[in-house]
Amino acid sequence: MHSRGFTLVELLVVMTISAILVAVAVPSFQWTIARNRVSDATNQLLAHLEYARMESSRRGNTVSICRSADQVACSSAATAGADGNDWAVGWLVFEKSGGVDESNVEVGDQVIFVQQAMGAMTIPTVRVMIHSSSPGAEFFAYRPRGTGGTVGGAQTFAI
Protein backbone atom coordinates (compact mmCIF):
# COMPACT_ATOMS: atom_id res chain seq x y z
CA MET A 1 0.00 0.00 0.00
CA HIS A 2 1.35 3.42 -0.99
CA SER A 3 0.70 6.34 1.40
CA ARG A 4 0.89 10.03 0.72
CA GLY A 5 2.55 12.64 2.91
CA PHE A 6 5.53 12.71 5.24
CA THR A 7 6.38 10.74 8.30
CA LEU A 8 7.05 12.50 11.57
CA VAL A 9 10.75 11.63 11.37
CA GLU A 10 11.08 13.13 7.86
CA LEU A 11 9.34 16.29 8.99
CA LEU A 12 11.64 16.67 12.03
CA VAL A 13 14.77 16.15 9.90
CA VAL A 14 13.67 18.85 7.43
CA MET A 15 12.83 21.27 10.27
CA THR A 16 16.22 20.66 11.92
CA ILE A 17 18.12 21.29 8.69
CA SER A 18 16.06 24.43 8.05
CA ALA A 19 16.77 25.74 11.57
CA ILE A 20 20.52 25.21 11.11
CA LEU A 21 20.49 27.07 7.76
CA VAL A 22 18.53 29.99 9.25
CA ALA A 23 20.92 30.19 12.23
CA VAL A 24 23.88 30.42 9.84
CA ALA A 25 22.23 32.97 7.52
CA VAL A 26 20.97 35.52 10.09
CA PRO A 27 24.37 36.95 11.18
CA SER A 28 25.50 37.52 7.60
CA PHE A 29 22.14 39.11 6.79
CA GLN A 30 22.62 41.56 9.68
CA TRP A 31 26.06 42.42 8.28
CA THR A 32 24.42 43.13 4.91
CA ILE A 33 21.88 45.43 6.57
CA ALA A 34 24.67 47.31 8.38
CA ARG A 35 26.65 47.70 5.15
CA ASN A 36 23.57 49.01 3.35
CA ARG A 37 22.95 51.59 6.09
CA VAL A 38 26.52 52.88 5.82
CA SER A 39 26.16 53.04 2.05
CA ASP A 40 22.86 54.92 2.42
CA ALA A 41 24.43 57.46 4.81
CA THR A 42 27.33 57.98 2.41
CA ASN A 43 25.04 58.48 -0.55
CA GLN A 44 22.82 60.92 1.36
CA LEU A 45 25.75 63.07 2.46
CA LEU A 46 27.31 63.11 -1.01
CA ALA A 47 23.97 63.91 -2.61
CA HIS A 48 23.42 66.86 -0.29
CA LEU A 49 26.94 68.17 -0.82
CA GLU A 50 26.31 68.09 -4.57
CA TYR A 51 22.86 69.59 -4.05
CA ALA A 52 24.36 72.50 -2.09
CA ARG A 53 26.89 73.08 -4.86
CA MET A 54 24.19 72.99 -7.54
CA GLU A 55 21.93 75.36 -5.59
CA SER A 56 24.77 77.86 -5.10
CA SER A 57 25.23 78.01 -8.86
CA ARG A 58 21.49 78.11 -9.60
CA ARG A 59 20.67 80.76 -6.99
CA GLY A 60 23.78 82.88 -7.59
CA ASN A 61 24.45 82.99 -3.87
CA THR A 62 26.56 81.19 -1.28
CA VAL A 63 24.99 77.93 -0.09
CA SER A 64 26.32 76.14 2.99
CA ILE A 65 25.80 72.70 4.49
CA CYS A 66 26.40 72.31 8.20
CA ARG A 67 26.01 69.69 10.91
CA SER A 68 22.90 70.31 13.04
CA ALA A 69 21.88 68.38 16.12
CA ASP A 70 18.55 70.19 16.53
CA GLN A 71 17.70 70.70 12.80
CA VAL A 72 17.29 74.43 13.48
CA ALA A 73 20.80 75.84 13.87
CA CYS A 74 24.30 74.61 13.06
CA SER A 75 26.18 72.71 15.76
CA SER A 76 29.72 73.70 16.60
CA ALA A 77 32.30 71.30 18.01
CA ALA A 78 31.80 72.92 21.40
CA THR A 79 28.04 72.26 21.43
CA ALA A 80 28.09 68.88 19.69
CA GLY A 81 29.05 66.89 22.75
CA ALA A 82 31.62 64.13 22.98
CA ASP A 83 31.99 63.65 19.26
CA GLY A 84 32.24 67.04 17.60
CA ASN A 85 32.54 65.48 14.13
CA ASP A 86 29.44 63.30 14.22
CA TRP A 87 27.39 64.29 11.16
CA ALA A 88 24.92 61.45 11.83
CA VAL A 89 23.02 63.91 14.06
CA GLY A 90 21.71 65.55 10.88
CA TRP A 91 22.53 68.58 8.77
CA LEU A 92 21.11 71.71 7.17
CA VAL A 93 21.52 73.06 3.64
CA PHE A 94 20.91 76.81 3.59
CA GLU A 95 21.34 79.84 1.35
CA LYS A 96 23.19 82.85 2.72
CA SER A 97 21.14 85.98 2.08
CA GLY A 98 23.28 88.28 4.10
CA GLY A 99 25.51 88.26 7.09
CA VAL A 100 29.08 87.10 7.13
CA ASP A 101 29.01 83.81 9.01
CA GLU A 102 28.87 81.03 6.40
CA SER A 103 29.02 78.42 9.14
CA ASN A 104 25.66 79.23 10.72
CA VAL A 105 22.08 80.10 9.82
CA GLU A 106 21.49 83.80 10.43
CA VAL A 107 18.42 86.03 10.19
CA GLY A 108 17.38 86.30 6.54
CA ASP A 109 19.05 83.04 5.46
CA GLN A 110 16.82 80.49 3.75
CA VAL A 111 16.97 76.86 4.88
CA ILE A 112 16.71 74.73 1.74
CA PHE A 113 16.88 71.23 3.21
CA VAL A 114 16.88 69.63 6.67
CA GLN A 115 18.34 66.13 7.16
CA GLN A 116 17.02 64.38 10.24
CA ALA A 117 19.30 62.46 12.57
CA MET A 118 20.36 59.07 11.29
CA GLY A 119 19.67 57.41 14.63
CA ALA A 120 16.22 56.54 13.30
CA MET A 121 17.92 54.50 10.56
CA THR A 122 19.75 52.14 12.90
CA ILE A 123 19.03 48.68 14.19
CA PRO A 124 19.82 48.05 17.87
CA THR A 125 23.46 46.98 17.44
CA VAL A 126 24.44 49.22 14.51
CA ARG A 127 25.12 52.96 14.61
CA VAL A 128 26.02 54.90 11.47
CA MET A 129 28.66 57.50 12.32
CA ILE A 130 29.84 60.13 9.85
CA HIS A 131 33.13 61.76 10.76
CA SER A 132 35.14 64.45 9.04
CA SER A 133 38.90 64.23 8.78
CA SER A 134 39.66 67.07 11.17
CA PRO A 135 38.18 68.18 14.49
CA GLY A 136 35.50 70.82 14.38
CA ALA A 137 34.57 70.46 10.73
CA GLU A 138 31.09 71.87 11.01
CA PHE A 139 30.30 73.13 7.51
CA PHE A 140 31.01 73.40 3.80
CA ALA A 141 30.18 76.57 1.86
CA TYR A 142 29.90 76.82 -1.91
CA ARG A 143 30.35 80.12 -3.75
CA PRO A 144 27.80 81.44 -6.30
CA ARG A 145 29.43 79.68 -9.26
CA GLY A 146 29.38 76.33 -7.48
CA THR A 147 33.05 76.44 -6.61
CA GLY A 148 34.27 75.26 -3.25
CA GLY A 149 34.64 78.08 -0.85
CA THR A 150 35.09 77.86 2.85
CA VAL A 151 35.58 74.38 4.22
CA GLY A 152 35.16 74.38 7.97
CA GLY A 153 38.36 72.51 8.70
CA ALA A 154 37.58 69.33 6.73
CA GLN A 155 38.99 68.12 3.46
CA THR A 156 37.41 64.67 3.35
CA PHE A 157 34.78 62.55 5.09
CA ALA A 158 35.19 59.02 6.34
CA ILE A 159 32.03 57.01 6.82
Side-chain angles (χ1 to χ4, degrees):
M1 185 156 113
H2 186 59
S3 67
R4 296 181 132 179
F6 301 107
T7 66
L8 183 59
V9 173
E10 291 172 332
L11 187 62
L12 288 175
V13 168
V14 169
M15 288 177 53
T16 302
I17 292 171
S18 298
I20 291 170
L21 291 175
V22 167
V24 170
V26 166
S28 63
F29 184 66
Q30 287 178 339
W31 173 248
T32 301
I33 291 172
R35 262 192 334 215
N36 287 341
R37 294 195 189 281
V38 170
S39 177
D40 184 46
T42 303
N43 291 336
Q44 282 186 20
L45 182 60
L46 288 174
H48 289 118
L49 285 168
E50 287 297 320
Y51 176 68
R53 191 177 102 191
M54 178 198 65
E55 284 296 310
S56 70
S57 179
R58 188 177 75 80
R59 294 170 183 253
N61 214 346
T62 299
V63 174
S64 296
I65 180 170
C66 70
R67 181 184 60 233
S68 176
D70 60 4
Q71 284 73 47
V72 175
C74 297
S75 303
S76 67
T79 62
D83 189 355
N85 284 338
D86 182 9
W87 281 64
V89 297
W91 55 80
L92 300 173
V93 178
F94 59 96
E95 176 186 11
K96 294 302 294 179
S97 297
V100 294
D101 186 8
E102 294 176 336
S103 67
N104 210 346
V105 180
E106 298 175 311
V107 175
D109 293 347
Q110 180 182 1
V111 175
I112 302 168
F113 184 83
V114 177
Q115 172 65 45
Q116 299 296 322
M118 293 193 177
M121 297 177 12
T122 61
I123 54 177
T125 58
V126 178
R127 174 91 170 117
V128 178
M129 302 292 285
I130 302 173
H131 297 280
S132 62
S133 62
S134 58
E138 291 99 17
F139 74 99
F140 287 86
Y142 293 97
R143 300 287 183 244
R145 292 188 176 179
T147 59
T150 307
V151 180
Q155 301 300 321
T156 59
F157 275 98
I159 308 294

